[in-house]
Amino acid sequence: MKDKLIIFDTTLRDGEQSPGASMTRDEKVRIAKALERLKVDVIEAGFPAASPGDFESVQAVADTIKDSMVCGLARALDRDIDKAGEALKNANASRIHTFIATSPIHMQQKLHMEPEQVIEHAVRAVKRARQYTDNVEFSPEDAGRSEEDFLCRILEAVIDAGATTLNIPDTVGYSVPAQFGATIANLIEKIPNSDKAIFSVHCHNDLGLAVANSLAAVINGARQIECTINGLGERAGNASLEEVVMAVRTRQDYFPCVTGLDTREIVHCSKLVSSITGFPVQPNKAIVGANAFAHESGIHQDGVLKNPETYEIMQAEDVGWTANRMVLGKHSGRNAFKSRMTELGYEFHSESELNDAFFRFKQLADKKHDIFDEDLEALISEVTTPKEEDVIKLISLKAHTETGEVPQASVTLTIAGKEYNGSASGSGSVDASFKAIEGLVKTGADLELYSVNNITTGTDAQGEVTVRLDKAGRIVNGLGADTDIVIASAKAYVNAANKLLSKENKQHPQIADV
Ligand code: KIV
Ligand code: ZN
């Protein structure tokens, strides 16, 4: 019997810390449901002390998810732990993940604490967390740059205090595989009570080594990996779930453990996270990139046709790549639409929400003959769903472009219910549209990113546009989808502007507040 490798997904917490990737409560619940279908063992739903919105999101995930354990992050502070305990109250199975920094630079410069004080805080935090749940994880932040002897001391103390999982974070992505693997082996060997806890790792990808470091840790005794869908996360991201899981599954000759994941759900999760956050997946990304299973050169194709194993180490179907399926069309009725949405994990909260989505589906079906799952996902995500509470609404857009002429755009918006018209010229239709919108909404933000992706193939496909705005360090991603990319772009700009207006202030978990 092989050991179980616990997959701890932190897309909703560390993933969300990626600038511009913040998600609404409903979006988090949708992703959590997709992760539950993927059968991840633990879902880290957020940092409840960050803001009232984050608290509610963790609570909503805890209330909804039945099969995976739901975890909340807390600094080693009483008030953070109480918030996490409260947010997780209704979870079927809950975990509190508490942490404090242990590297000399973090202890001195960030915490202004002596090592002994750090141990005291850690022990106190774990004991307090145990009052809410018997499943407590402790992380010595920046373990990758901490002294091994100090790690041994603090980890021994928190196990005695009741920690059941010890997570070793390479917070700044500094480690390299052989050395990181050796650290895990040393900790397990040197800590006298190490057999009373599961060792976990949480690797950042600053040097592109997050997956390699995580797998080296597994070979050396770690039995939990913390990872995210598409490798989303702070800076260069975290270890990518799909790569970790498929490496372990594909190389069963090498790894001494198995995961319990239903890998056929991977691609769906990847597309969902990409569409909700507006972070596109590069085509050559392992496992979930559009080219990951494509063979172009004749010699490869010939080999694959004769025997797929000549050039394929995994089957595309095993991770959920199927040929785009035409699921619905112009003549599909309300019931067919609703039941496909339910199969995709989406529940409508009211009749009017369903009617609204069905109306948009019909509008799309008039423009686009074949409707794929990806179109449906986009239809219900923020991409095409203006919200009741949106202050700015796009009413109409007219863009004119002609060779040799300066492109022009005219736009009609409502702002807080009042109608405004504006027009502008630009270097292209998108530029002119953005200038016309900005002239009315006056966000004063800088446009940091503009990207367009095809949701499916074909020239009638919907284009999915991401617009990232930065206003004095507040970063938001706006999304828009339409069969016309100028309209998709305008929707994305308006979506970003609405987010700038509504974004609440959050506390970042890794900023000291003691
Ligand atoms: O990278 C890190 O150290 C973290 C901790 C909060 C576990 O995300
Ligand atoms: Zn992290």
Side-chain angles (χ1 to χ4, degrees):
M1 271 286 277
K2 289 198 170 192
D3 285 356
K4 166 94 186 277
L5 178 62
I6 297 167
I7 298 297
F8 175 114
D9 180 279
T10 182
T11 307
L12 301 179
R13 198 279 295 171
D14 210 312
E16 203 203 17
Q17 282 172 222
S18 201
S22 73
M23 305 163 208
T24 63
R25 187 192 58 194
D26 287 356
E27 288 168 343
K28 281 195 165 192
V29 170
R30 279 178 65 206
I31 293 178
K33 283 188 187 166
L35 293 172
E36 188 181 36
R37 282 201 301 280
L38 177 62
K39 296 195 172 35
V40 306
D41 301 286
V42 187
I43 298 173
E44 189 165 48
F47 171 45
S51 69
D54 284 67
F55 179 89
E56 277 174 27
S57 297
V58 176
Q59 199 171 41
V61 172
D63 289 354
T64 311
I65 297 302
K66 299 286 166 260
D67 298 336
S68 307
M69 178 173 281
V70 181
C71 174
L73 183 73
R75 290 166 298 185
L77 297 173
D78 290 356
R79 63 176 186 280
D80 275 28
I81 290 163
D82 296 344
K83 278 255 180 301
E86 177 70 14
L88 296 167
K89 207 167 56 192
N90 295 334
N92 245 8
S94 68
R95 173 183 293 185
I96 295 179
H97 174 192
T98 186
F99 73 100
I100 191 163
T102 51
S103 61
I105 184 168
H106 276 224
M107 289 192 290
Q108 283 156 23
Q109 309 287 329
K110 176 173 110 163
L111 298 175
H112 308 290
M113 276 189 198
E114 291 301 319
E116 291 315 313
Q117 285 176 288
V118 170
I119 296 181
E120 269 167 40
H121 271 72
V123 166
R124 179 186 163 96
V126 169
K127 286 189 175 156
R128 193 165 184 104
R130 280 296 300 244
Q131 292 171 9
Y132 292 97
T133 169
D134 55 12
N135 200 307
V136 174
E137 172 170 325
F138 173 76
S139 292
E141 191 195 2
D142 203 17
R145 293 187 299 170
S146 301
E147 285 162 9
E148 219 169 85
D149 285 348
F150 183 58
L151 283 179
C152 288
R153 281 176 52 216
I154 194 165
L155 294 176
E156 181 183 349
V158 295
I159 298 174
D160 280 342
T164 45
T165 299
L166 302 180
N167 178 49
I168 312 303
D170 183 22
T171 303
V172 292
Y174 178 71
S175 300
V176 291
Q179 165 252 320
F180 191 63
T183 300
I184 301 299
N186 289 342
L187 294 176
I188 294 176
E189 196 194 308
K190 288 187 194 160
I191 298 172
N193 49 2
S194 66
D195 59 323
K196 305 219 162 35
I198 289 171
F199 278 73
S200 163
V201 288
H202 172 112
C203 297
H204 278 271
N205 205 28
D206 300 67
L207 293 173
L209 294 171
V211 170
N213 286 335
S214 306
L215 295 176
V218 169
I219 291 298
N220 285 281
R223 287 296 175 264
Q224 173 177 287
I225 293 185
E226 300 200 355
C227 45
T228 57
I229 300 288
N230 299 338
L232 199 68
E234 285 268 16
R235 305 179 310 277
N238 288 73
S240 122
L241 177 146
E242 56 277 9
E243 293 176 23
V244 161
V245 168
M246 290 313 289
V248 171
R249 180 184 148 136
T250 306
R251 295 303 307 271
Q252 274 295 293
D253 57 319
Y254 184 68
F255 289 102
C257 45
V258 285
T259 77
L261 266 63
D262 180 351
T263 58
R264 291 165 305 176
E265 295 291 331
I266 284 179
V267 167
H268 175 245
C269 285
S270 162
K271 289 187 174 176
L272 185 64
V273 169
S274 168
S275 131
I276 284 177
T277 58
F279 280 51
V281 174
Q282 76 199 52
N284 58 327
K285 164 85 174 64
I287 319 293
V288 292
N291 285 355
F293 291 88
H295 297 271
E296 205 189 348
S297 87
I299 192 158
H300 283 205
Q301 283 183 356
D302 181 53
V304 169
L305 287 177
K306 286 182 181 136
N307 178 352
E309 282 181 24
T310 45
Y311 283 100
E312 280 182 3
I313 57 166
M314 300 167 273
Q315 303 281 303
E317 297 75 33
D318 291 347
V319 296
W321 282 110
T322 41
N324 277 336
R325 269 182 308 149
M326 204 274 289
V327 285
L328 297 173
K330 197 178 162 80
H331 301 293
S332 306
R334 203 162 165 280
N335 279 344
F337 172 73
K338 187 177 169 199
S339 73
R340 187 63 199 153
M341 291 310 242
T342 309
E343 279 163 29
L344 289 174
Y346 190 81
E347 277 155 37
F348 294 100
H349 302 305
S350 65
E351 270 310 277
S352 80
E353 205 182 297
L354 167 62
N355 291 343
D356 199 43
F358 185 60
F359 176 72
R360 288 197 311 279
F361 160 71
K362 282 290 184 188
Q363 280 182 320
L364 179 64
D366 276 341
K367 290 193 264 177
K368 186 174 188 290
H369 191 255
D370 300 337
I371 308 284
F372 301 101
D373 282 344
E374 290 84 345
D375 292 311
L376 296 178
E377 295 277 11
L379 194 81
I380 44 156
S381 75
E382 192 141 4
V383 172
T384 45
T385 318
K387 294 209 172 57
E388 207 43 54
E389 65 268 20
D390 282 351
V391 176
I392 309 162
K393 293 194 167 111
L394 178 68
I395 305 299
S396 67
L397 172 74
K398 197 161 112 191
H400 179 79
T401 174
E402 191 179 337
T403 29
E405 296 293 323
V406 179
Q408 303 281 341
S410 310
V411 65
T412 303
L413 302 175
T414 56
I415 305 177
K418 195 163 168 224
E419 196 165 297
Y420 296 88
N421 298 299
S423 44
S425 52
S427 59
S429 303
V430 171
D431 188 43
S433 306
F434 284 6
K435 285 181 174 145
I437 296 170
E438 180 59 28
L440 297 176
V441 300
K442 299 187 180 24
T443 65
D446 294 324
L447 178 65
E448 289 285 305
L449 175 118
Y450 170 74
S451 87
V452 187
N453 260 328
N454 260 16
I455 292 180
T456 54
T457 51
T459 49
D460 71 343
Q462 293 194 84
E464 188 174 62
V465 173
T466 305
V467 162
R468 184 176 304 159
L469 296 182
D470 180 344
K471 185 170 185 186
R474 283 174 78 202
I475 298 174
V476 292
N477 273 347
L479 306 174
D482 199 280
T483 48
D484 182 310
I485 61 157
V486 182
I487 295 175
S489 304
K491 285 180 177 173
Y493 199 97
V494 168
N495 181 231
N498 274 314
K499 284 188 175 175
L500 266 186
L501 288 177
S502 70
K503 199 175 169 195
E504 66 179 349
N505 278 334
K506 293 183 182 225
Q507 170 113 52
H508 188 292
Q510 284 156 275
I511 288 174
D513 185 7
V514 281

